[in-house]
PDB file of all heavy atoms in Angstrom:
ATOM      1  N   LEU E 688      -8.213  -3.788  -4.865  1.00 98.00           N
ATOM      2  CA  LEU E 688      -7.932  -3.582  -6.288  1.00 98.00           C
ATOM      3  C   LEU E 688      -9.235  -3.570  -7.080  1.00 98.00           C
ATOM      4  O   LEU E 688     -10.073  -4.455  -6.904  1.00 98.00           O
ATOM      5  CB  LEU E 688      -7.030  -4.700  -6.818  1.00 98.00           C
ATOM      6  CG  LEU E 688      -5.688  -4.889  -6.106  1.00 98.00           C
ATOM      7  CD1 LEU E 688      -4.966  -6.104  -6.669  1.00 98.00           C
ATOM      8  CD2 LEU E 688      -4.832  -3.645  -6.214  1.00 98.00           C
ATOM      9  N   GLY E 689      -9.383  -2.595  -7.937  1.00 98.00           N
ATOM     10  CA  GLY E 689     -10.573  -2.508  -8.765  1.00 98.00           C
ATOM     11  C   GLY E 689     -10.368  -1.482  -9.865  1.00 98.00           C
ATOM     12  O   GLY E 689      -9.339  -0.796  -9.915  1.00 98.00           O
ATOM     13  N   ALA E 690     -11.357  -1.372 -10.722  1.00 97.00           N
ATOM     14  CA  ALA E 690     -11.298  -0.392 -11.808  1.00 97.00           C
ATOM     15  C   ALA E 690     -12.696   0.157 -12.060  1.00 97.00           C
ATOM     16  O   ALA E 690     -13.610  -0.591 -12.402  1.00 97.00           O
ATOM     17  CB  ALA E 690     -10.746  -1.029 -13.080  1.00 97.00           C
ATOM     18  N   VAL E 691     -12.831   1.462 -11.857  1.00 95.00           N
ATOM     19  CA  VAL E 691     -14.085   2.147 -12.127  1.00 95.00           C
ATOM     20  C   VAL E 691     -13.797   3.124 -13.265  1.00 95.00           C
ATOM     21  O   VAL E 691     -12.984   4.041 -13.109  1.00 95.00           O
ATOM     22  CB  VAL E 691     -14.611   2.904 -10.891  1.00 95.00           C
ATOM     23  CG1 VAL E 691     -15.987   3.490 -11.165  1.00 95.00           C
ATOM     24  CG2 VAL E 691     -14.652   1.991  -9.675  1.00 95.00           C
ATOM     25  N   ILE E 692     -14.442   2.881 -14.393  1.00 94.00           N
ATOM     26  CA  ILE E 692     -14.199   3.689 -15.590  1.00 94.00           C
ATOM     27  C   ILE E 692     -15.420   4.560 -15.852  1.00 94.00           C
ATOM     28  O   ILE E 692     -16.546   4.054 -15.925  1.00 94.00           O
ATOM     29  CB  ILE E 692     -13.885   2.786 -16.806  1.00 94.00           C
ATOM     30  CG1 ILE E 692     -12.664   1.898 -16.485  1.00 94.00           C
ATOM     31  CG2 ILE E 692     -13.651   3.634 -18.052  1.00 94.00           C
ATOM     32  CD1 ILE E 692     -12.384   0.820 -17.514  1.00 94.00           C
ATOM     33  N   ARG E 693     -15.179   5.860 -15.985  1.00 93.00           N
ATOM     34  CA  ARG E 693     -16.272   6.820 -16.175  1.00 93.00           C
ATOM     35  C   ARG E 693     -17.072   6.491 -17.442  1.00 93.00           C
ATOM     36  O   ARG E 693     -16.515   6.161 -18.471  1.00 93.00           O
ATOM     37  CB  ARG E 693     -15.727   8.238 -16.274  1.00 93.00           C
ATOM     38  CG  ARG E 693     -16.816   9.293 -16.298  1.00 93.00           C
ATOM     39  CD  ARG E 693     -16.263  10.701 -16.408  1.00 93.00           C
ATOM     40  NE  ARG E 693     -15.351  11.039 -15.330  1.00 93.00           N
ATOM     41  CZ  ARG E 693     -15.739  11.459 -14.127  1.00 93.00           C
ATOM     42  NH1 ARG E 693     -17.021  11.568 -13.840  1.00 93.00           N
ATOM     43  NH2 ARG E 693     -14.842  11.764 -13.206  1.00 93.00           N
ATOM     44  N   GLY E 694     -18.372   6.573 -17.307  1.00 83.00           N
ATOM     45  CA  GLY E 694     -19.266   6.387 -18.445  1.00 83.00           C
ATOM     46  C   GLY E 694     -20.055   7.662 -18.668  1.00 83.00           C
ATOM     47  O   GLY E 694     -19.660   8.746 -18.225  1.00 83.00           O
ATOM     48  N   SER E 695     -21.195   7.544 -19.301  1.00 81.00           N
ATOM     49  CA  SER E 695     -21.990   8.725 -19.637  1.00 81.00           C
ATOM     50  C   SER E 695     -23.069   9.038 -18.597  1.00 81.00           C
ATOM     51  O   SER E 695     -23.878   9.932 -18.792  1.00 81.00           O
ATOM     52  CB  SER E 695     -22.635   8.531 -21.013  1.00 81.00           C
ATOM     53  OG  SER E 695     -23.437   7.365 -21.002  1.00 81.00           O
ATOM     54  N   THR E 696     -23.074   8.295 -17.481  1.00 80.00           N
ATOM     55  CA  THR E 696     -24.062   8.530 -16.427  1.00 80.00           C
ATOM     56  C   THR E 696     -23.337   8.818 -15.107  1.00 80.00           C
ATOM     57  O   THR E 696     -22.129   8.593 -15.000  1.00 80.00           O
ATOM     58  CB  THR E 696     -24.968   7.287 -16.234  1.00 80.00           C
ATOM     59  OG1 THR E 696     -24.175   6.228 -15.689  1.00 80.00           O
ATOM     60  CG2 THR E 696     -25.606   6.855 -17.545  1.00 80.00           C
ATOM     61  N   PRO E 697     -24.060   9.279 -14.087  1.00 81.00           N
ATOM     62  CA  PRO E 697     -23.427   9.559 -12.789  1.00 81.00           C
ATOM     63  C   PRO E 697     -23.019   8.315 -12.002  1.00 81.00           C
ATOM     64  O   PRO E 697     -22.476   8.440 -10.913  1.00 81.00           O
ATOM     65  CB  PRO E 697     -24.499  10.337 -12.013  1.00 81.00           C
ATOM     66  CG  PRO E 697     -25.616  10.591 -12.936  1.00 81.00           C
ATOM     67  CD  PRO E 697     -25.436   9.735 -14.151  1.00 81.00           C
ATOM     68  N   HIS E 698     -23.268   7.144 -12.539  1.00 84.00           N
ATOM     69  CA  HIS E 698     -22.950   5.885 -11.866  1.00 84.00           C
ATOM     70  C   HIS E 698     -21.498   5.867 -11.362  1.00 84.00           C
ATOM     71  O   HIS E 698     -21.218   5.395 -10.260  1.00 84.00           O
ATOM     72  CB  HIS E 698     -23.202   4.719 -12.832  1.00 84.00           C
ATOM     73  CG  HIS E 698     -23.018   3.367 -12.228  1.00 84.00           C
ATOM     74  ND1 HIS E 698     -23.898   2.817 -11.334  1.00 84.00           N
ATOM     75  CD2 HIS E 698     -22.035   2.448 -12.400  1.00 84.00           C
ATOM     76  CE1 HIS E 698     -23.483   1.618 -10.979  1.00 84.00           C
ATOM     77  NE2 HIS E 698     -22.348   1.377 -11.611  1.00 84.00           N
ATOM     78  N   PHE E 699     -20.576   6.385 -12.152  1.00 87.00           N
ATOM     79  CA  PHE E 699     -19.155   6.425 -11.808  1.00 87.00           C
ATOM     80  C   PHE E 699     -18.928   7.079 -10.445  1.00 87.00           C
ATOM     81  O   PHE E 699     -18.212   6.548  -9.606  1.00 87.00           O
ATOM     82  CB  PHE E 699     -18.387   7.195 -12.894  1.00 87.00           C
ATOM     83  CG  PHE E 699     -16.957   7.499 -12.551  1.00 87.00           C
ATOM     84  CD1 PHE E 699     -15.950   6.600 -12.876  1.00 87.00           C
ATOM     85  CD2 PHE E 699     -16.602   8.692 -11.933  1.00 87.00           C
ATOM     86  CE1 PHE E 699     -14.622   6.882 -12.572  1.00 87.00           C
ATOM     87  CE2 PHE E 699     -15.289   8.979 -11.632  1.00 87.00           C
ATOM     88  CZ  PHE E 699     -14.293   8.071 -11.953  1.00 87.00           C
ATOM     89  N   GLU E 700     -19.537   8.243 -10.239  1.00 88.00           N
ATOM     90  CA  GLU E 700     -19.332   8.987  -8.991  1.00 88.00           C
ATOM     91  C   GLU E 700     -19.820   8.187  -7.781  1.00 88.00           C
ATOM     92  O   GLU E 700     -19.165   8.162  -6.743  1.00 88.00           O
ATOM     93  CB  GLU E 700     -20.023  10.351  -9.023  1.00 88.00           C
ATOM     94  CG  GLU E 700     -19.265  11.414  -9.800  1.00 88.00           C
ATOM     95  CD  GLU E 700     -19.468  11.336 -11.306  1.00 88.00           C
ATOM     96  OE1 GLU E 700     -20.388  10.603 -11.759  1.00 88.00           O
ATOM     97  OE2 GLU E 700     -18.701  11.984 -12.024  1.00 88.00           O
ATOM     98  N   TYR E 701     -20.962   7.545  -7.919  1.00 91.00           N
ATOM     99  CA  TYR E 701     -21.510   6.769  -6.805  1.00 91.00           C
ATOM    100  C   TYR E 701     -20.609   5.585  -6.464  1.00 91.00           C
ATOM    101  O   TYR E 701     -20.284   5.358  -5.293  1.00 91.00           O
ATOM    102  CB  TYR E 701     -22.920   6.272  -7.114  1.00 91.00           C
ATOM    103  CG  TYR E 701     -23.919   7.388  -7.298  1.00 91.00           C
ATOM    104  CD1 TYR E 701     -24.532   7.598  -8.516  1.00 91.00           C
ATOM    105  CD2 TYR E 701     -24.225   8.245  -6.240  1.00 91.00           C
ATOM    106  CE1 TYR E 701     -25.444   8.634  -8.682  1.00 91.00           C
ATOM    107  CE2 TYR E 701     -25.130   9.280  -6.396  1.00 91.00           C
ATOM    108  CZ  TYR E 701     -25.734   9.474  -7.623  1.00 91.00           C
ATOM    109  OH  TYR E 701     -26.620  10.499  -7.793  1.00 91.00           O
ATOM    110  N   VAL E 702     -20.233   4.831  -7.456  1.00 92.00           N
ATOM    111  CA  VAL E 702     -19.425   3.639  -7.215  1.00 92.00           C
ATOM    112  C   VAL E 702     -18.044   4.022  -6.684  1.00 92.00           C
ATOM    113  O   VAL E 702     -17.591   3.490  -5.668  1.00 92.00           O
ATOM    114  CB  VAL E 702     -19.301   2.776  -8.494  1.00 92.00           C
ATOM    115  CG1 VAL E 702     -18.307   1.642  -8.294  1.00 92.00           C
ATOM    116  CG2 VAL E 702     -20.656   2.228  -8.892  1.00 92.00           C
ATOM    117  N   ALA E 703     -17.376   4.952  -7.350  1.00 93.00           N
ATOM    118  CA  ALA E 703     -16.031   5.344  -6.928  1.00 93.00           C
ATOM    119  C   ALA E 703     -16.046   5.963  -5.531  1.00 93.00           C
ATOM    120  O   ALA E 703     -15.209   5.630  -4.681  1.00 93.00           O
ATOM    121  CB  ALA E 703     -15.423   6.317  -7.934  1.00 93.00           C
ATOM    122  N   GLY E 704     -17.006   6.832  -5.282  1.00 94.00           N
ATOM    123  CA  GLY E 704     -17.082   7.504  -3.986  1.00 94.00           C
ATOM    124  C   GLY E 704     -17.371   6.557  -2.842  1.00 94.00           C
ATOM    125  O   GLY E 704     -16.721   6.613  -1.786  1.00 94.00           O
ATOM    126  N   GLU E 705     -18.344   5.684  -3.028  1.00 95.00           N
ATOM    127  CA  GLU E 705     -18.689   4.736  -1.960  1.00 95.00           C
ATOM    128  C   GLU E 705     -17.580   3.722  -1.722  1.00 95.00           C
ATOM    129  O   GLU E 705     -17.336   3.325  -0.580  1.00 95.00           O
ATOM    130  CB  GLU E 705     -20.012   4.034  -2.268  1.00 95.00           C
ATOM    131  CG  GLU E 705     -21.211   4.961  -2.205  1.00 95.00           C
ATOM    132  CD  GLU E 705     -21.345   5.679  -0.868  1.00 95.00           C
ATOM    133  OE1 GLU E 705     -21.267   5.015   0.190  1.00 95.00           O
ATOM    134  OE2 GLU E 705     -21.517   6.903  -0.872  1.00 95.00           O
ATOM    135  N   CYS E 706     -16.908   3.317  -2.775  1.00 97.00           N
ATOM    136  CA  CYS E 706     -15.793   2.389  -2.626  1.00 97.00           C
ATOM    137  C   CYS E 706     -14.685   3.036  -1.796  1.00 97.00           C
ATOM    138  O   CYS E 706     -14.204   2.447  -0.816  1.00 97.00           O
ATOM    139  CB  CYS E 706     -15.273   1.984  -4.010  1.00 97.00           C
ATOM    140  SG  CYS E 706     -13.849   0.872  -3.962  1.00 97.00           S
ATOM    141  N   ALA E 707     -14.299   4.245  -2.161  1.00 97.00           N
ATOM    142  CA  ALA E 707     -13.227   4.939  -1.442  1.00 97.00           C
ATOM    143  C   ALA E 707     -13.608   5.197   0.010  1.00 97.00           C
ATOM    144  O   ALA E 707     -12.817   4.962   0.929  1.00 97.00           O
ATOM    145  CB  ALA E 707     -12.886   6.249  -2.148  1.00 97.00           C
ATOM    146  N   LYS E 708     -14.835   5.668   0.216  1.00 98.00           N
ATOM    147  CA  LYS E 708     -15.280   5.959   1.577  1.00 98.00           C
ATOM    148  C   LYS E 708     -15.325   4.686   2.426  1.00 98.00           C
ATOM    149  O   LYS E 708     -14.884   4.678   3.572  1.00 98.00           O
ATOM    150  CB  LYS E 708     -16.658   6.623   1.534  1.00 98.00           C
ATOM    151  CG  LYS E 708     -17.175   7.045   2.902  1.00 98.00           C
ATOM    152  CD  LYS E 708     -18.408   7.923   2.833  1.00 98.00           C
ATOM    153  CE  LYS E 708     -19.528   7.271   2.088  1.00 98.00           C
ATOM    154  NZ  LYS E 708     -20.789   8.050   2.132  1.00 98.00           N
ATOM    155  N   GLY E 709     -15.847   3.615   1.862  1.00 98.00           N
ATOM    156  CA  GLY E 709     -15.943   2.355   2.600  1.00 98.00           C
ATOM    157  C   GLY E 709     -14.585   1.788   2.966  1.00 98.00           C
ATOM    158  O   GLY E 709     -14.381   1.314   4.091  1.00 98.00           O
ATOM    159  N   ILE E 710     -13.647   1.849   2.056  1.00 98.00           N
ATOM    160  CA  ILE E 710     -12.301   1.347   2.322  1.00 98.00           C
ATOM    161  C   ILE E 710     -11.643   2.161   3.434  1.00 98.00           C
ATOM    162  O   ILE E 710     -11.026   1.615   4.346  1.00 98.00           O
ATOM    163  CB  ILE E 710     -11.457   1.346   1.035  1.00 98.00           C
ATOM    164  CG1 ILE E 710     -11.962   0.244   0.083  1.00 98.00           C
ATOM    165  CG2 ILE E 710      -9.974   1.170   1.340  1.00 98.00           C
ATOM    166  CD1 ILE E 710     -11.386   0.320  -1.306  1.00 98.00           C
ATOM    167  N   ALA E 711     -11.801   3.480   3.381  1.00 98.00           N
ATOM    168  CA  ALA E 711     -11.228   4.339   4.427  1.00 98.00           C
ATOM    169  C   ALA E 711     -11.848   4.026   5.787  1.00 98.00           C
ATOM    170  O   ALA E 711     -11.148   3.980   6.805  1.00 98.00           O
ATOM    171  CB  ALA E 711     -11.434   5.808   4.066  1.00 98.00           C
ATOM    172  N   GLN E 712     -13.154   3.787   5.819  1.00 98.00           N
ATOM    173  CA  GLN E 712     -13.818   3.464   7.084  1.00 98.00           C
ATOM    174  C   GLN E 712     -13.288   2.167   7.677  1.00 98.00           C
ATOM    175  O   GLN E 712     -13.072   2.074   8.887  1.00 98.00           O
ATOM    176  CB  GLN E 712     -15.336   3.368   6.879  1.00 98.00           C
ATOM    177  CG  GLN E 712     -16.000   4.703   6.687  1.00 98.00           C
ATOM    178  CD  GLN E 712     -17.486   4.570   6.358  1.00 98.00           C
ATOM    179  OE1 GLN E 712     -17.967   3.504   5.989  1.00 98.00           O
ATOM    180  NE2 GLN E 712     -18.201   5.673   6.479  1.00 98.00           N
TER     181      GLN E 712
END
């Protein structure tokens, strides 16, 4: 469970992507 909220920088993509990929792995 978590919440990643898009901001004005690319930080969102990195955090959301790595979280999803890591959980799937």
Side-chain angles (χ1 to χ4, degrees):
L688 303 175
V691 186
I692 303 171
R693 187 180 302 277
S695 58
T696 68
H698 185 73
F699 171 89
E700 281 81 13
Y701 296 115
V702 172
E705 292 304 311
C706 178
K708 184 169 57 174
I710 289 169
Q712 286 175 344

